[in-house]
Amino acid sequence: MGVRARLLRAVIMGPPGSGKGTVSSRIVKHFALKHLSSGDLLRDNMQRHTEVGVVAKTYIDRGQLIPDDIMTQLVLRELKNLEQYSWLLDGFPRTVPQAEALDKTCRIDTVIDLDVPFETIKQRLTARWIHPTSGRVYNLEFNPPKIHMLICGFQAVCCTVIGTDDVTGEPLAQRDDDKPETVTKRLQSYEAQTKPVLDYYRKKGVLKSFSGTETNKIWPHVHAFLQTKLPDVSQNEAAMQR
């Protein structure tokens, strides 16, 4: 019998706009972890009208937070299907009761915290525009549409972007979530909700924070850290192809 590979149970945390999605996809590619996003899981259950999905939707429709026990039930049930894999949990836990419930089921090895300044995130998110029909995302700073103009009022007090989708030429829109006043509220809410969770994992000695303003500069440090835990499968694949 061969030696059973060690499994890694990891959580990734970071405010909206911190680059969490990009870092998660790179972790999955390099270290072959299963990525479980609580947001994706919730949307899938609501679309399939599962029992949990129907209950969760009633809270969302009323603009309320989904109770801890419902989110915990949803995530823990899915994790049972991943018992033989290393995994990366994204978007859960968001509260200490959720973290405690997770601990009763499995031991978390490491919590990756992306510590990006809120001002940087505000600039990132408010620069994000979408093509509503296709879902294509543009960013005025590093992925702008081919045709766009910044129209500013008197003394640049009020600026508006007029941009069109590269494929269809249709106008772009800004999600309500990405408007400056909403972004500020979301970041304040994230900090208030997750600081106790970060403190919880810090006391357990499993929290690893990575600070920076650019995802491409944060990533090498995350990669080096995870290499102390798991082999980089993308390097193995590259070696086999030579």
Side-chain angles (χ1 to χ4, degrees):
M1 279 179 66
V3 178
R4 187 180 176 187
R6 180 174 177 272
L7 297 177
L8 183 73
R9 309 307 197 199
V11 172
I12 186 165
M13 298 184 69
S18 62
K20 188 158 56 82
T22 301
V23 171
S24 294
S25 64
R26 291 180 185 180
I27 290 173
V28 169
K29 177 186 173 185
H30 284 268
F31 299 99
L33 274 70
K34 296 288 184 181
H35 179 222
L36 182 60
S37 161
S38 62
D40 290 347
L41 188 59
L42 190 59
R43 280 186 287 274
D44 176 63
N45 274 264
M46 288 194 296
Q47 285 170 3
R48 291 190 292 112
H49 302 290
T50 65
E51 185 180 347
V52 176
V54 170
V55 173
K57 190 174 185 302
T58 62
Y59 287 94
I60 290 173
D61 288 346
R62 294 199 298 261
Q64 298 173 343
L65 288 175
I66 299 170
D68 285 334
D69 59 328
I70 294 174
M71 283 307 302
T72 300
Q73 178 188 345
L74 187 69
V75 173
L76 295 188
R77 188 174 61 191
E78 194 67 22
L79 286 178
K80 281 185 180 177
N81 300 326
L82 301 177
E83 285 179 348
Q84 69 271 40
Y85 301 102
S86 292
W87 44 252
L88 178 69
L89 198 47
D90 176 357
F92 182 94
R94 286 192 175 175
T95 66
V96 171
Q98 289 178 5
E100 290 171 341
L102 181 61
D103 271 347
K104 289 174 184 172
T105 305
C106 55
R107 182 176 64 86
I108 298 301
D109 299 300
T110 190
V111 176
I112 296 164
D113 171 43
L114 303 181
D115 180 20
V116 180
F118 279 5
E119 276 307 311
T120 300
I121 291 172
K122 281 164 73 172
Q123 288 170 9
R124 261 186 213 173
L125 292 184
T126 54
R128 187 165 65 181
W129 290 72
I130 63 165
H131 176 235
T133 309
S134 67
R136 277 184 286 276
V137 179
Y138 298 89
N139 189 293
L140 298 179
E141 293 181 10
F142 54 82
N143 177 36
K146 290 172 185 172
I147 301 174
H148 70 282
M149 292 185 295
L150 189 65
I151 310 296
C152 292
F154 180 66
Q155 293 183 336
V157 170
C158 181
C159 295
T160 304
V161 174
I162 300 176
T164 58
D165 177 50
D166 290 349
V167 178
T168 65
E170 294 171 347
L172 301 178
Q174 191 169 40
R175 297 187 330 174
D176 287 341
D177 277 358
D178 293 338
K179 291 176 179 174
E181 61 277 11
T182 312
V183 168
T184 299
K185 286 179 185 173
R186 286 172 70 200
L187 293 174
Q188 289 171 344
S189 173
Y190 173 85
E191 185 173 42
Q193 190 178 40
T194 58
K195 186 180 181 300
V197 181
L198 293 174
D199 290 342
Y200 174 85
Y201 283 124
R202 188 178 290 111
K203 287 172 186 171
K204 284 186 167 289
V206 295
L207 183 70
K208 183 72 176 176
S209 289
F210 298 89
S211 301
T213 58
E214 296 177 41
T215 301
N216 286 339
K217 290 184 178 178
I218 292 175
W219 165 245
H221 299 285
V222 175
H223 181 261
F225 169 69
L226 286 175
Q227 275 190 305
T228 67
K229 312 259 180 206
L230 287 173
D232 184 334
V233 295
S234 69
Q235 291 179 355
N236 296 340
E237 288 170 2
M240 289 171 67
Q241 290 170 2
R242 286 188 191 128

